[in-house]
Amino acid sequence: MTFLLRRAAFYLVTLWAAITANFLLPRLLPGDPVQAMITKLGGRLNSDAMASLYILFGLDEKKSIWAQYVDYWGALLRGDLGLSFTFFPTPVADVLSQSLPWTLGLVGVTTVIAFLLGTLMGVYAGWKRGSWMDSLIPVTTFLSSIPYFWLGLIAISVFSVTFPLLPASGGYAAGLVPEWSGEFIGSVLEHAVLPGVTIVVSSVAGWILGMRNMMVTVTAEDYVLVARAKGLSQRRIMFAYAARNAVLPSISGFALSLGFIVGGALLVEMVFSYPGLGYVLFQGIGAKDYPLMQGVFLVITLAVLVANLLADVGYLLLDPRTRREG
Amino acid sequence: MNFKTRLGLGILAFFTLIAVVGSWIAPYGPSAMSDDLLSPPSGAHWFGTTTTGQDIFSQVLVGTRGVMVVGLVCGVLATFLSILVGVTAGFLGGAADEALSMLSNVFLVIPALPLIIIVASMLPSADTVLIAAVISLTAWAWGARVLRAQTMSLRRRDFVEAARASGERTWRIIVFEVLPNLVAVIASGFVGTVIFAVMLQITLSFVGVVSLSTWNWGTILFWAQSNQALGQGAWWWFVPAGLCIALLGTALALINFGIDEYANPRLRKVRA
């Protein structure tokens, strides 16, 4: 338990750091873009919305920075992230709660698939070193050197424009109403194929390589030699002895590479106009919609931290040493 | 040095050369318009033209410099930061280590892309050097983590203890006893940082938060995307820039494999 508590404490600190960065950035950087936006919208903002934007972006300069910080936390805890300029006059929190499920679904599923697939391929590549599997490494390296969004562009150009097999944009067919019907779910799956495959193809290489290198190292360990000497089946040695230990760095690495993967996945959403947070962020960039962009950053950070905590639970289950410490 | 490493170094040398001479050997100005609107690759325009008749081959050549400069600047800045934080944390241990590791882990876990997008779009003028500095601030954490672990394993070795016993000052032990043993790790961290920085810069240009007045491969992709190159079937508009990115990334990754294999002989190829 100590292990999990320590991790949870670390994630709380990280969350605090992200929120504080969000608070400080608009105050530290030169220029007052939000003030300009408020001026432009003129009388269309009601006084409540105006007040929350003042709190979030520190436009009220009569207050001390501490008072502003306290107000800022107050607004966040009420779930008040200001108004979006892009989707005026919808509150940022509403925009985010509509797009979050799409991102969680797409990025969550594809990340798990890429992790499992890559780890499994890495196990085989490391175990049968020197076989044809080794020639996969340069190919996957090349694929992982391609930016996610560019692979997405190519996928659209081949599978939607040249051979119109799959839809190029959106989360479901135009004209359908989101509901729990077979038609709608089918349409959602169809629209998720191209972005999903793009994310898996670009992120799988890292897992293959990390796992292969760990397998190579672990295979030379004495306990693997003992397992061989005992005459255990290859399968058992490979998975229960070698892979089980080799996977640990991959899982602790999972936590740290997640932020990077999520960044790439956001871009895939932008390219495919997928109705998740990435596309919302993209629309926010165009309109210099700071409340929206900062809201997206906070929600993504929160999601990454929760996913990290889940990875830690997995680590706990696989590595008894972390349990003994507690 | 094996074939893979040599290939990587060769590609890197090629792009470095282009970065230096690219703007002189480009057949056209990168922003110069012409009457050949959206034409596929031909003898006159090797990579085709844009909707305003700009030569894409020239844009790729000229844009190489921006990419390589950001890679180099970030590589140097972020590697310096990672040595500073990582080696200090690993060598000192105790409370300093706790605080510095916490700092680098926080930077690792927070998703860098949305944060940098916010910073870049709030800056009044997001030119190449400024962007390089901002990217460096988020790119050092991974290297610091790896260096810390390596330093910790060196800290109690006999030669370090000997230096300590003979009364060497801490900074002198770090610079002359510890750092030389970390060269492989630092080099691979440097190459990894360059990959990260190049990808991030191109991404930022592609989403349009970086100043579009200077050319890089991401800028080309930004214009291709905003002019619906895909829908018009203008594959030549986004394929060359993307392939260059992938080639450069692969070259750097190959160099990194070479460094890894040098440092960890178990990874070297087994001869059947």
Short mmCIF file of all heavy atoms in Angstrom, two decimals, chain A residues 1-14 309 312 316 322 325-326, chain B residues 94 97-99 101-102 105 148:
data_model
loop_
_atom_site.label_atom_id
_atom_site.label_comp_id
_atom_site.label_asym_id
_atom_site.label_seq_id
_atom_site.Cartn_x
_atom_site.Cartn_y
_atom_site.Cartn_z
N MET A 1 0.83 -1.21 0.00
CA MET A 1 0.00 0.00 0.00
C MET A 1 0.86 1.25 0.00
O MET A 1 0.54 2.26 -0.64
CB MET A 1 -0.90 0.03 1.24
CG MET A 1 -2.29 -0.54 1.03
SD MET A 1 -2.92 -0.46 -0.66
CE MET A 1 -3.61 1.18 -0.71
N THR A 2 2.01 1.20 0.71
CA THR A 2 2.87 2.38 0.78
C THR A 2 3.22 2.85 -0.63
O THR A 2 3.22 4.04 -0.92
CB THR A 2 4.18 2.03 1.51
OG1 THR A 2 3.87 1.10 2.52
CG2 THR A 2 4.80 3.27 2.10
N PHE A 3 3.52 1.86 -1.51
CA PHE A 3 3.89 2.17 -2.88
C PHE A 3 2.79 2.99 -3.55
O PHE A 3 3.05 4.06 -4.10
CB PHE A 3 4.15 0.86 -3.62
CG PHE A 3 4.31 1.00 -5.10
CD1 PHE A 3 5.49 1.49 -5.63
CD2 PHE A 3 3.30 0.62 -5.97
CE1 PHE A 3 5.65 1.62 -7.00
CE2 PHE A 3 3.45 0.74 -7.34
CZ PHE A 3 4.63 1.25 -7.86
N LEU A 4 1.55 2.49 -3.45
CA LEU A 4 0.44 3.20 -4.11
C LEU A 4 0.23 4.59 -3.51
O LEU A 4 -0.02 5.54 -4.23
CB LEU A 4 -0.84 2.39 -4.00
CG LEU A 4 -1.16 1.46 -5.16
CD1 LEU A 4 -2.59 0.97 -5.06
CD2 LEU A 4 -0.95 2.15 -6.50
N LEU A 5 0.35 4.66 -2.18
CA LEU A 5 0.14 5.97 -1.53
C LEU A 5 1.20 6.96 -1.98
O LEU A 5 0.90 8.12 -2.26
CB LEU A 5 0.18 5.81 0.00
CG LEU A 5 -1.07 5.22 0.63
CD1 LEU A 5 -0.91 5.11 2.13
CD2 LEU A 5 -2.28 6.10 0.30
N ARG A 6 2.44 6.48 -2.07
CA ARG A 6 3.52 7.36 -2.54
C ARG A 6 3.23 7.86 -3.94
O ARG A 6 3.41 9.03 -4.25
CB ARG A 6 4.84 6.61 -2.54
CG ARG A 6 5.57 6.60 -1.23
CD ARG A 6 6.88 5.84 -1.40
NE ARG A 6 7.77 6.54 -2.33
CZ ARG A 6 8.84 7.20 -1.94
NH1 ARG A 6 9.14 7.26 -0.68
NH2 ARG A 6 9.61 7.80 -2.82
N ARG A 7 2.80 6.93 -4.80
CA ARG A 7 2.51 7.32 -6.18
C ARG A 7 1.36 8.33 -6.21
O ARG A 7 1.42 9.33 -6.91
CB ARG A 7 2.15 6.10 -7.03
CG ARG A 7 3.22 5.05 -7.12
CD ARG A 7 4.51 5.58 -7.68
NE ARG A 7 4.36 6.06 -9.04
CZ ARG A 7 5.29 6.76 -9.68
NH1 ARG A 7 6.41 7.06 -9.07
NH2 ARG A 7 5.09 7.15 -10.90
N ALA A 8 0.31 8.04 -5.44
CA ALA A 8 -0.85 8.93 -5.43
C ALA A 8 -0.44 10.33 -4.97
O ALA A 8 -0.86 11.34 -5.55
CB ALA A 8 -1.95 8.37 -4.54
N ALA A 9 0.44 10.37 -3.97
CA ALA A 9 0.91 11.67 -3.49
C ALA A 9 1.67 12.40 -4.61
O ALA A 9 1.49 13.60 -4.82
CB ALA A 9 1.84 11.49 -2.28
N PHE A 10 2.47 11.63 -5.35
CA PHE A 10 3.22 12.24 -6.45
C PHE A 10 2.27 12.81 -7.51
O PHE A 10 2.47 13.91 -8.01
CB PHE A 10 4.16 11.21 -7.07
CG PHE A 10 4.71 11.64 -8.40
CD1 PHE A 10 5.60 12.70 -8.48
CD2 PHE A 10 4.29 11.01 -9.56
CE1 PHE A 10 6.09 13.10 -9.70
CE2 PHE A 10 4.78 11.42 -10.79
CZ PHE A 10 5.68 12.47 -10.86
N TYR A 11 1.19 12.05 -7.81
CA TYR A 11 0.26 12.54 -8.83
C TYR A 11 -0.46 13.79 -8.37
O TYR A 11 -0.75 14.68 -9.16
CB TYR A 11 -0.74 11.44 -9.22
CG TYR A 11 -0.05 10.28 -9.87
CD1 TYR A 11 -0.36 8.98 -9.53
CD2 TYR A 11 0.94 10.49 -10.82
CE1 TYR A 11 0.30 7.92 -10.11
CE2 TYR A 11 1.61 9.44 -11.39
CZ TYR A 11 1.29 8.15 -11.05
OH TYR A 11 1.97 7.12 -11.61
N LEU A 12 -0.75 13.86 -7.05
CA LEU A 12 -1.38 15.07 -6.54
C LEU A 12 -0.46 16.27 -6.72
O LEU A 12 -0.89 17.35 -7.12
CB LEU A 12 -1.76 14.89 -5.07
CG LEU A 12 -3.02 14.03 -4.84
CD1 LEU A 12 -3.32 13.91 -3.36
CD2 LEU A 12 -4.21 14.67 -5.57
N VAL A 13 0.84 16.06 -6.43
CA VAL A 13 1.80 17.15 -6.61
C VAL A 13 1.85 17.57 -8.08
O VAL A 13 1.86 18.76 -8.41
CB VAL A 13 3.20 16.72 -6.11
CG1 VAL A 13 4.23 17.77 -6.49
CG2 VAL A 13 3.19 16.52 -4.62
N THR A 14 1.85 16.57 -8.97
CA THR A 14 1.89 16.87 -10.40
C THR A 14 0.67 17.67 -10.83
O THR A 14 0.78 18.64 -11.58
CB THR A 14 1.96 15.56 -11.21
OG1 THR A 14 3.00 14.76 -10.67
CG2 THR A 14 2.23 15.85 -12.67
N LEU A 309 -1.96 6.03 -12.56
CA LEU A 309 -2.28 5.34 -11.31
C LEU A 309 -2.70 3.91 -11.62
O LEU A 309 -2.32 2.96 -10.93
CB LEU A 309 -3.39 6.11 -10.58
CG LEU A 309 -3.52 5.83 -9.09
CD1 LEU A 309 -2.22 6.15 -8.38
CD2 LEU A 309 -4.64 6.66 -8.50
N ASP A 312 0.24 1.85 -12.31
CA ASP A 312 0.92 1.50 -11.06
C ASP A 312 0.28 0.31 -10.38
O ASP A 312 0.96 -0.54 -9.81
CB ASP A 312 0.89 2.70 -10.10
CG ASP A 312 1.88 3.77 -10.53
OD1 ASP A 312 2.84 3.42 -11.24
OD2 ASP A 312 1.68 4.93 -10.16
N LEU A 316 2.05 -3.17 -9.43
CA LEU A 316 1.94 -3.75 -8.09
C LEU A 316 1.58 -5.23 -8.18
O LEU A 316 2.10 -6.07 -7.46
CB LEU A 316 0.86 -2.98 -7.33
CG LEU A 316 0.84 -3.07 -5.83
CD1 LEU A 316 2.11 -2.46 -5.29
CD2 LEU A 316 -0.36 -2.30 -5.30
N THR A 322 7.35 -4.71 -4.76
CA THR A 322 6.72 -3.46 -4.34
C THR A 322 5.72 -3.70 -3.22
O THR A 322 5.45 -2.82 -2.44
CB THR A 322 5.97 -2.79 -5.51
OG1 THR A 322 5.10 -3.75 -6.07
CG2 THR A 322 6.92 -2.28 -6.56
N GLU A 325 7.57 -4.22 0.38
CA GLU A 325 8.03 -2.99 1.03
C GLU A 325 7.01 -2.43 2.00
O GLU A 325 7.36 -1.89 3.01
CB GLU A 325 8.31 -1.91 -0.03
CG GLU A 325 9.72 -1.98 -0.58
CD GLU A 325 9.91 -1.01 -1.73
OE1 GLU A 325 9.16 -0.01 -1.76
OE2 GLU A 325 10.76 -1.26 -2.58
N GLY A 326 5.75 -2.60 1.67
CA GLY A 326 4.70 -1.91 2.42
C GLY A 326 4.37 -2.51 3.75
O GLY A 326 5.03 -3.29 4.35
N GLY B 94 19.82 11.93 -1.09
CA GLY B 94 19.11 12.57 0.01
C GLY B 94 18.00 13.49 -0.45
O GLY B 94 17.35 13.23 -1.47
N ASP B 97 18.14 14.95 -3.97
CA ASP B 97 17.75 13.96 -4.97
C ASP B 97 16.23 13.84 -5.04
O ASP B 97 15.63 13.87 -6.11
CB ASP B 97 18.39 12.62 -4.61
CG ASP B 97 17.96 11.53 -5.56
OD1 ASP B 97 17.71 11.85 -6.73
OD2 ASP B 97 17.89 10.37 -5.13
N GLU B 98 15.60 13.74 -3.86
CA GLU B 98 14.14 13.62 -3.82
C GLU B 98 13.48 14.78 -4.57
O GLU B 98 12.61 14.58 -5.42
CB GLU B 98 13.64 13.64 -2.36
CG GLU B 98 13.93 12.37 -1.58
CD GLU B 98 12.93 11.28 -1.88
OE1 GLU B 98 11.78 11.62 -2.21
OE2 GLU B 98 13.29 10.09 -1.80
N ALA B 99 13.95 15.99 -4.27
CA ALA B 99 13.33 17.17 -4.87
C ALA B 99 13.56 17.21 -6.37
O ALA B 99 12.62 17.44 -7.16
CB ALA B 99 13.89 18.44 -4.21
N SER B 101 14.36 14.71 -8.46
CA SER B 101 13.68 13.62 -9.18
C SER B 101 12.20 13.92 -9.30
O SER B 101 11.58 13.64 -10.32
CB SER B 101 13.80 12.29 -8.45
OG SER B 101 15.05 12.12 -7.95
N MET B 102 11.65 14.47 -8.21
CA MET B 102 10.24 14.85 -8.25
C MET B 102 10.02 15.85 -9.38
O MET B 102 9.09 15.70 -10.18
CB MET B 102 9.87 15.46 -6.90
CG MET B 102 8.50 16.06 -6.84
SD MET B 102 7.26 14.82 -6.50
CE MET B 102 6.98 15.10 -4.78
N ASN B 105 10.21 14.10 -12.75
CA ASN B 105 9.05 13.24 -12.99
C ASN B 105 7.80 14.04 -13.31
O ASN B 105 6.99 13.65 -14.14
CB ASN B 105 8.79 12.33 -11.78
CG ASN B 105 9.79 11.20 -11.74
OD1 ASN B 105 10.42 10.89 -12.74
ND2 ASN B 105 9.95 10.59 -10.60
N ARG B 148 20.45 10.27 -13.78
CA ARG B 148 20.42 10.13 -12.33
C ARG B 148 20.68 8.68 -11.95
O ARG B 148 21.49 8.38 -11.08
CB ARG B 148 19.06 10.58 -11.79
CG ARG B 148 18.86 10.26 -10.34
CD ARG B 148 17.48 10.61 -9.86
NE ARG B 148 17.26 10.05 -8.53
CZ ARG B 148 16.66 8.91 -8.32
NH1 ARG B 148 16.19 8.20 -9.32
NH2 ARG B 148 16.50 8.45 -7.09
#
